[in-house]
Amino acid sequence: MNNDVLPADLRVFCAVVRSSSFSAAAAGLGMSPAYVTKRIRVLEEALATSLFHRTTRRVVTSEAGERIYHWAQRILDDVDHLIEEVGVTRGEPQGSLRVCSSFGFGRRVVAPALSAFSAQHPSVQVHLEAFDRLIDVAAEGYDLDVRVGDEIAPHLIARQLADNHRVLCASPAYLKNHGVPKTLDDLAAHDCLAIKERDHPFGVWRLQRGRREHTVKVRGPLSTNNGEMAVNWAVDGRGIILRSTWDVNPLIEQGRLVHVLPQYRQQANIWAVYPSRLNASAKVRVCVEFLETYLRAHGISGG
């Protein structure tokens, strides 16, 4: 029996641990479930231990599997760093780069930025996923989270890419029909378009005026977890929105939205967030530096 442990099998194992599912891991890896099952069986035979407890609904990592998972991550990081070091000697980063972001910012900004990055660095294989929740990049196997919002766990490394804040705005038609709010208390009488942001509770707007923070509970007939939908509703005259300047500034400049209560804002800078174990990663460093330059060149600064 061949007892060699292959890095490729460790990658399959880590994917199953993160997704708690053989089929989900297979889909993410572009493999068949049968092949994933086979590789896990080969790995279990090589290590002479059971890695998972299988139930009808999900796959649970065994106690031995949990220990092996941490070792597997370290081994794979070492392999990736070896590949990176070879790339650095050639003057070009190499390897795979798993990136995540939010739906709107990911589609509108991060995706085209990574397209440009890939054109410049073809030896880096970039995989981008979008979520409507905060991602723990260290625990969920991502190399980089391009994040809007200042809620960052202390065990992660964060580098600010651009200044940004969220502002209150509504369409001219809405303000004509419902009046312009003069104070935060006035928002209680208005239709507010709540968005499920990754960094703030749903239906609660935390706004700063100078150094003071004010909390406002908002309500309205429409709410969503997708910022682009909410912006479209606001343009259609359906209510007041709290949205990032990177997104609404062009609409304000065009007159399609009007900035209201301009003395209030919500700080929500743009960050590159990554695990501490990747602090010396060449591919992460090069990508973060590229994103910082890209955002500046495209006028995303929050002003």
Side-chain angles (χ1 to χ4, degrees):
M1 180 184 297
N2 185 353
N3 289 326
D4 290 341
V5 174
L6 302 177
D9 289 344
L10 293 178
R11 291 193 189 279
V12 172
F13 167 62
C14 288
V16 175
V17 172
R18 288 193 291 265
S19 60
S20 298
S21 166
F22 278 62
S23 58
L29 294 168
M31 302 173 177
S32 70
Y35 184 77
V36 168
T37 300
K38 177 183 177 181
R39 298 322 306 170
I40 294 299
R41 184 171 63 250
V42 168
L43 185 60
E44 287 179 327
E45 290 175 355
L47 296 171
T49 189
S50 177
L51 299 173
F52 298 102
H53 302 301
R54 297 163 177 82
T55 69
T56 55
R57 293 189 175 183
R58 63 195 301 261
V59 176
V60 180
T61 311
S62 67
E63 184 177 345
E66 288 286 353
R67 294 197 303 271
I68 292 168
Y69 174 64
H70 294 296
W71 276 103
Q73 284 187 306
R74 292 173 60 181
I75 292 169
L76 293 174
D77 284 342
D78 286 342
V79 171
D80 288 342
H81 289 157
L82 171 62
I83 295 172
E84 285 188 61
E85 285 299 319
V86 173
V88 169
T89 61
R90 296 173 180 168
E92 174 62 30
Q94 295 184 348
S96 62
L97 185 68
R98 297 190 72 213
V99 185
C100 59
S101 190
S102 55
F103 287 134
F105 193 69
R107 185 185 75 81
R108 295 266 302 281
V109 179
V110 180
L114 291 178
S115 176
F117 172 79
S118 180
Q120 251 187 50
H121 303 281
S123 296
V124 179
Q125 293 80 48
V126 181
H127 180 71
L128 172 64
E129 294 188 49
F131 298 91
D132 65 351
R133 61 180 177 85
L134 283 177
I135 299 297
D136 185 338
V137 287
E140 299 185 53
Y142 290 92
D143 302 311
L144 178 64
D145 181 11
V146 186
R147 179 180 302 182
V148 178
D150 298 345
E151 189 74 22
I152 301 170
H155 68 284
L156 300 173
I157 296 176
R159 174 169 169 173
Q160 186 173 335
L161 298 175
D163 293 330
N164 180 65
H165 54 269
R166 298 183 179 117
V167 296
L168 296 162
C169 48
S171 72
Y174 176 86
L175 297 174
K176 180 180 178 180
N177 293 330
H178 297 83
V180 179
K182 304 297 185 184
T183 69
L184 285 184
D185 291 339
D186 290 347
L187 293 179
H190 281 269
D191 294 335
C192 295
L193 304 171
I195 307 170
K196 184 182 179 184
E197 300 283 3
R198 299 205 300 170
D199 62 321
H200 279 276
F202 183 70
V204 176
W205 289 351
R206 294 174 181 165
L207 299 157
Q208 292 86 33
R209 181 177 183 177
R211 295 185 178 181
R212 287 192 60 189
E213 182 175 276
H214 305 263
T215 300
V216 182
K217 292 184 179 180
V218 297
R219 55 189 298 179
L222 292 168
S223 61
T224 180
N225 69 338
N226 187 292
E228 291 178 287
M229 293 179 183
V231 169
N232 289 334
W233 288 338
V235 171
D236 288 342
R238 302 298 296 154
I240 298 174
I241 192 173
L242 178 66
R243 190 64 177 160
S244 283
T245 53
W246 70 262
D247 194 7
V248 297
N249 269 353
L251 296 170
I252 294 172
E253 291 171 1
Q254 296 163 17
R256 300 174 69 190
L257 290 177
V258 177
H259 189 180
V260 299
L261 296 172
Q263 64 272 41
Y264 294 95
R265 62 167 59 184
Q266 183 185 92
Q267 204 64 31
N269 294 307
I270 300 168
W271 299 85
V273 180
Y274 47 97
S276 57
R277 61 185 172 82
L278 294 179
N279 190 34
S281 169
K283 64 187 177 186
V284 171
R285 175 182 54 78
V286 169
C287 186
V288 169
E289 291 174 352
F290 181 91
L291 289 171
E292 189 173 19
T293 302
Y294 180 94
L295 294 179
R296 188 184 309 115
H298 286 75
I300 300 176
S301 61

